[in-house]
Amino acid sequence: MKIPGPDHPITITPAKTRWRARFENHVIADSGDALVLKEAAYKPVVYFPRADVSMEFMSKTERSTHCPYKGDASYYTVLMDGQFGENSVWSYEAPFPAMEQIRGHLAFYPDKIEVYEVDEAVVAPGAHRTDIADAILHTDAGDGASQRPHWPPNVSEPPAPAGE
């Protein structure tokens, strides 16, 4: 077991945004609680909490690998729409103490499963918008009545046609 240090730094930080993983055009992971692990000169890896991953599409395989810094990794194959993502998911189910934060999390090989950052405004357009809340309350409540009294008109009615 090796401890991360100046010669081989490893940092684990909460992701600042929402992340998703997609396989065969299906989102199989969606999390606002992902972790980003940065290890030495490697590309950052996003780790998703197991609760935010569709585990029903995965089966554990016999494959395992050892990292002297993180521990032993277990692997999963994804099966969806008749397509296999063999050993495309890994998890450190009993990580070394320095990597305890990634326990209960899974990561995906980006060449097999698309991992991408999600713009929260696209996922939940009204979640951060308070400027439209007042306008929404002036719309139909579903029973033909407005939820609030209508705004006073800002234009006058057109004149009635001649002869009416």
Side-chain angles (χ1 to χ4, degrees):
M1 171 175 29
K2 293 185 177 181
I3 305 295
D7 59 325
H8 193 93
I10 299 177
T11 60
I12 302 169
T13 57
K16 292 184 168 104
T17 59
R18 188 174 187 157
W19 284 84
R20 284 187 176 164
R22 180 171 41 213
F23 180 72
E24 293 300 315
N25 292 318
H26 295 279
V27 173
I28 59 172
D30 183 348
S31 184
D33 296 316
L35 299 173
V36 178
L37 184 142
K38 294 179 182 175
E39 179 176 2
Y42 300 115
K43 289 184 177 183
V45 175
V46 177
Y47 280 81
F48 292 80
R50 187 177 297 262
D52 295 342
V53 177
S54 298
M55 295 301 294
E56 64 271 18
F57 298 106
M58 299 184 198
S59 59
K60 194 169 184 179
T61 69
E62 295 297 317
R63 179 177 166 85
S64 69
T65 57
H66 179 77
C67 171
Y69 293 94
K70 296 186 282 295
D72 295 322
S74 299
Y75 288 80
Y76 295 83
T77 290
V78 180
L79 170 62
M80 183 169 290
D81 293 342
Q83 300 296 314
F84 286 95
E86 191 170 353
N87 292 313
S88 56
V89 183
W90 77 89
S91 175
Y92 289 93
E93 295 172 4
F96 290 149
M99 299 290 109
E100 186 62 31
Q101 283 180 273
I102 60 173
R103 179 186 298 272
H105 288 69
L106 295 104
F108 303 91
Y109 280 109
D111 62 328
K112 297 180 180 183
I113 295 177
E114 180 186 6
V115 176
Y116 59 98
E117 198 170 2
V118 178
D119 180 356
E120 195 69 32
V122 172
V123 176
H128 301 291
R129 303 259 337 247
T130 57
D131 59 322
I132 61 170
D134 194 49
I136 290 171
L137 290 173
H138 287 276
T139 61
D140 186 346
D143 61 359
S146 182
Q147 297 176 55
R148 280 203 180 151
H150 287 284
W151 287 302
N154 59 3
V155 295
S156 58
E157 292 288 324
E164 284 190 13

